[in-house]
Amino acid sequence: MSAIEVAGLTVRAGEATLLAGVDLAIEAGTWCTIVGPNGAGKTTLVEAVAGLRRPASGTVSIGGREIHAMGERARAGCVALVPQHPVVPPGMSVTAYVELGRTAYHGVLRAPSARDRDVVADVLERLDLARLAGRDVATLSGGERQRAVLARALAQATPVVVLDEPTTGLDLRHQVTLLALLRREVAECGLTVLATLHDLSLAGQFADRLVLLDRGDIVLDGAPREVVRHEELARRYGLTLRVVDVDGTDVVVPVVPSVTAR
Amino acid sequence: MIGAPPSRRRVAVVTGAGLVALVAAVACGLGVGPTPIGLGRIATSILADLGLGHRTLSPLDATIVWQLRAPRMVLGLLVGAMLAVAGGTYQGVFRNPLADPYLLGVAAGAGLGATIAIVDVGGGLATPTWTPALAFVGALGAVALTWVVGGRGAHAGPSTLILGGVAVAALLTSAQTFLQQQGSPTSIARVYIWLLGSLATASWSSVLLVLPYVAVCASVCVAAGRALDVLSVGEDESRSLGLPVSRVRLVVVAASSLGTAAVVSVAGLIGFVGIIVPHLVRLLVGTSYRRILPLSVLVGAAFLVLCDTVARTVLAPSELPLGVVTAVVGAPAFVVVLSLRRRTVT
């Protein structure tokens, strides 16, 4: 059984159709990255899988359970979200922020249990945040902050994590660090990941599978090596793309007329 | 540590200071007035009632303390606590620092209800004795109307609800102003005094009337602290963390509004407490509603009774409007804390 099963998913906003009957099944313990130009519907798909967008038709199931039929608390035990622009509340310690990920377990009337605190301590350790545990989360650097957001999602201890452009605003090193941490969670804990990414090279390096979305529909779906080389990818971006193999890693480079040559 | 949220020790110090302020407020509420009555004599009188020692208060002094000052002081504690915790709760649930307990039209609705009673609309249909009841009904009616106008609040965004509150408040205030103009000069003056808020009509029966509402509603607000902390990451994120956002909003708005309606119905529209006390507490102990809300109960209660002591003594035997005192005392206090905090942060 697939960890994530999206069937005939259509999402509308007023007159506009954001997703037009998307079908997508993602195996447990794998990483699927959605790529596509701006306005393709990537964020909508991620938000729908996280249960935040109601479909006009179609279903999203996680572990065989239809997520839009669940209450918030049950859903938070199935899927965790790393949003593109997380709201970082000032004055909250990193520990307290990551503990928010345990809300569904202890509820809003009880304090986190010993087990909740253990999970949080473990996640902080795994993501190298333990030394920042007492810091105000709003004072962290961009890279540290994004790790804290990922830590909160992992503290939810869900089988599925969805991420919307998790590397936005990070320098190259922090992008790679974050994606590598996530990759380790997939490999060691059997986590299922659905992410959107703009960087095609990074998308190809870390995912098991790439899906090209455009105008609310899936255009390409396959192994990263095949998708990044497909001519349709370049066409959808309206660019000429070159794929360079650097020691076995595909690097996708847009070919632009040299500015200096003009 | 730089960038660290306030420590437990700091919270303990602020809580201690709040308790001291509360004790001082109770002492002022009972002891200060045109007839000075020493706290020692009040204390021995309490002990005498418990069978220890003998009375030192004359029957007149005892009446002043137990039938005039004590109910007024206790009502002040309840009103201050409720307004402050409701304001803090509104600020949390709407994620809006300008929110106060009157945000969704409670004040305008209560004002209209009270005016209908005081101006005696319909010639004897409503009488001034109905003022608390009609103010209460008006306050709750206004919030209910806001909830409906704002797209059944639970599912609409908070800004829709706030705008609904603005519309409802404008409508009801204009109706209230119109009715007020129709009244006699005496009733206009009484409406005006009611609108500024006062504890002068306090009695043990008014205390008993609002006590259950304040006890239940303030408890619900304080218990919502953890939910409001989760909500501080925004609605979508808190939903994905498992918070039933719509239900939480319904419960806390209902509790804040009901409690506010109850205290406003007996004390009128006392301004400023609901916005300044939670902010004052936030500046001192940080942004967690698990700290802000219980401390707002404490500080709000002490603050209002201290302000009332000022209101009833500086121009004695006449009284200053309580709303004026809360602003005159509260605003400078707030500015001082704000500047102190800025200095420690930079």
Side-chain angles (χ1 to χ4, degrees), chain A residues 168-190:
Chain A
T168 302
L170 300 189
D171 66 31
L172 257 183
R173 185 172 71 91
H174 282 106
Q175 291 186 32
V176 172
T177 308
L178 188 84
L179 295 174
L181 284 169
L182 195 58
R183 182 75 239 179
R184 199 179 65 194
E185 296 296 320
V186 173
E188 292 177 5
C189 308

Side-chain angles (χ1 to χ4, degrees), chain B residues 16-118:
Chain B
L19 286 171
V20 170
L22 186 70
V23 172
V26 169
C28 288
L30 292 178
V32 177
T35 309
I37 301 170
L39 289 175
R41 286 166 63 208
I42 296 173
T44 48
S45 131
I46 294 171
L47 290 176
D49 285 340
L50 296 172
L52 302 165
H54 55 87
R55 265 168 216 289
T56 49
L57 281 184
S58 67
L60 179 62
D61 285 351
T63 306
I64 289 173
V65 170
W66 300 121
Q67 296 308 319
L68 294 176
R69 290 185 192 165
R72 183 171 182 152
M73 182 270 293
V74 175
L75 189 68
L77 295 177
L78 294 175
V79 173
M82 190 63 234
L83 290 178
V85 78
T89 305
Y90 272 181
Q91 286 161 17
V93 77
F94 292 109
R95 298 175 59 226
N96 185 333
L98 290 177
D100 79 351
Y102 305 147
L103 185 72
L104 301 183
V106 167
L112 179 60
T115 306
I116 289 173
I118 295 170

Side-chain angles (χ1 to χ4, degrees), chain A:
Chain A
M1 187 172 57
S2 306
I4 306 173
E5 185 98 46
V6 178
L9 185 68
T10 299
V11 176
R12 293 202 180 92
E15 295 291 296
T17 300
L18 306 180
L19 292 177
V22 169
D23 293 302
L24 182 67
I26 300 168
E27 290 303 311
T30 64
W31 178 332
C32 175
T33 291
I34 313 285
V35 296
N38 287 335
K42 302 188 295 292
T43 296
T44 307
L45 178 58
V46 160
E47 287 179 351
V49 172
L52 298 178
R53 285 240 189 201
R54 284 220 157 261
S57 62
T59 57
V60 176
S61 304
I62 288 179
R65 294 171 69 199
E66 158 63 26
I67 59 153
H68 289 99
M70 292 181 199
E72 284 91 348
R73 198 167 168 180
R75 197 190 301 138
C78 292
V79 54
L81 168 73
V82 175
Q84 186 172 3
H85 301 291
V87 178
V88 180
M92 191 180 276
S93 73
V94 171
T95 304
Y97 181 75
V98 176
E99 261 175 14
L100 295 180
R102 301 300 294 174
T103 303
Y105 294 89
H106 57 72
V108 290
L109 294 177
R110 287 211 197 94
S113 67
R115 158 109 187 107
D116 293 322
R117 283 195 295 272
D118 285 348
V119 170
V120 168
D122 179 50
V123 170
L124 289 175
E125 199 62 51
R126 271 177 10 229
L127 297 199
D128 193 23
L129 286 167
R131 69 197 160 81
L132 300 172
R135 271 272 291 276
D136 181 342
V137 73
T139 67
L140 298 181
S141 73
E144 293 164 343
R145 185 182 300 186
Q146 206 56 6
R147 279 215 309 279
V149 180
L150 178 61
R152 189 188 72 184
L154 294 181
Q156 272 181 255
T158 52
V160 171
V161 173
V162 296
L163 306 94
D164 189 14
E165 292 292 339
T167 55
T168 302
L170 300 189
D171 66 31
L172 257 183
R173 185 172 71 91
H174 282 106
Q175 291 186 32
V176 172
T177 308
L178 188 84
L179 295 174
L181 284 169
L182 195 58
R183 182 75 239 179
R184 199 179 65 194
E185 296 296 320
V186 173
E188 292 177 5
C189 308
L191 190 68
T192 307
V193 168
L194 175 68
T196 69
L197 273 185
H198 272 304
D199 189 313
L200 296 170
S201 305
L202 285 176
Q205 278 175 59
F206 285 93
D208 299 303
R209 175 178 167 195
L210 282 192
V211 169
L212 171 66
L213 197 69
D214 191 24
R215 293 178 194 168
D217 207 359
I218 291 177
V219 181
L220 292 174
D221 182 352
R225 284 194 82 88
E226 293 157 20
V227 171
V228 295
R229 285 179 168 76
H230 203 288
E231 61 188 26
E232 192 65 21
L233 183 72
R235 208 174 70 76
R236 295 286 170 159
Y237 278 97
L239 283 173
T240 306
L241 295 178
R242 187 78 24 98
V243 180
V244 186
D245 185 322
V246 182
D247 301 335
T249 299
D250 285 337
V251 179
V252 185
V253 193
V255 181
V256 284
S258 168
V259 178
T260 50
R262 242 185 267 157

Side-chain angles (χ1 to χ4, degrees), chain B:
Chain B
M1 188 199 286
I2 295 168
S7 63
R8 276 166 198 269
R9 187 163 162 265
R10 180 166 183 165
V11 176
V13 169
V14 174
T15 308
L19 286 171
V20 170
L22 186 70
V23 172
V26 169
C28 288
L30 292 178
V32 177
T35 309
I37 301 170
L39 289 175
R41 286 166 63 208
I42 296 173
T44 48
S45 131
I46 294 171
L47 290 176
D49 285 340
L50 296 172
L52 302 165
H54 55 87
R55 265 168 216 289
T56 49
L57 281 184
S58 67
L60 179 62
D61 285 351
T63 306
I64 289 173
V65 170
W66 300 121
Q67 296 308 319
L68 294 176
R69 290 185 192 165
R72 183 171 182 152
M73 182 270 293
V74 175
L75 189 68
L77 295 177
L78 294 175
V79 173
M82 190 63 234
L83 290 178
V85 78
T89 305
Y90 272 181
Q91 286 161 17
V93 77
F94 292 109
R95 298 175 59 226
N96 185 333
L98 290 177
D100 79 351
Y102 305 147
L103 185 72
L104 301 183
V106 167
L112 179 60
T115 306
I116 289 173
I118 295 170
V119 173
D120 195 7
V121 174
L125 278 180
T127 69
T129 50
W130 288 31
T131 306
L134 288 189
F136 184 70
V137 170
L140 288 185
V143 178
L145 189 58
T146 297
W147 195 262
V148 174
V149 171
R152 304 205 188 286
H155 301 293
S159 52
T160 322
L161 204 53
I162 293 173
L163 289 173
V166 171
V168 167
L171 185 71
L172 298 186
T173 303
S174 63
Q176 184 269 327
T177 311
F178 172 76
L179 284 180
Q180 189 180 344
Q181 296 303 334
Q182 309 302 305
S184 63
T186 334
S187 64
I188 290 176
R190 287 177 61 189
V191 169
Y192 185 65
I193 289 167
W194 189 90
L195 291 178
L196 286 171
S198 170
L199 297 173
T201 57
S203 63
W204 284 119
S205 67
S206 55
V207 167
L208 289 178
L209 196 66
V210 301
L211 179 65
Y213 291 101
V214 173
V216 172
C217 297
S219 303
V220 171
C221 290
V222 169
R226 192 174 289 280
L228 296 182
D229 280 350
V230 179
L231 200 55
S232 67
V233 297
E235 285 194 31
D236 275 354
E237 285 184 56
S238 42
R239 264 196 195 99
S240 82
L241 292 169
L243 188 75
V245 175
S246 304
R247 212 180 318 149
V248 166
R249 192 186 298 151
L250 176 65
V251 169
V252 299
V253 166
S256 310
S257 304
L258 185 63
T260 304
V263 299
V264 160
S265 72
V266 294
L269 303 181
I270 299 167
F272 218 59
V273 182
I275 190 157
I276 205 142
V277 170
H279 276 300
L280 194 74
V281 172
R282 184 181 285 111
L283 284 170
L284 294 170
V285 300
T287 53
S288 169
Y289 285 97
R290 279 182 288 134
R291 291 168 177 174
I292 292 173
L293 297 179
L295 278 169
S296 291
V297 170
L298 184 66
V299 176
F303 177 75
L304 196 67
V305 172
L306 289 171
C307 286
D308 186 49
T309 307
V310 173
R312 64 191 172 81
T313 47
V314 286
L315 289 183
S318 66
E319 290 197 10
L320 275 174
L322 188 47
V324 171
V325 180
T326 53
V328 167
V329 175
F334 186 66
V335 170
V336 167
V337 174
L338 198 61
S339 63
L340 283 177
R341 186 169 148 80
R342 209 173 286 147
R343 211 171 298 153
T344 55
V345 168
T346 50

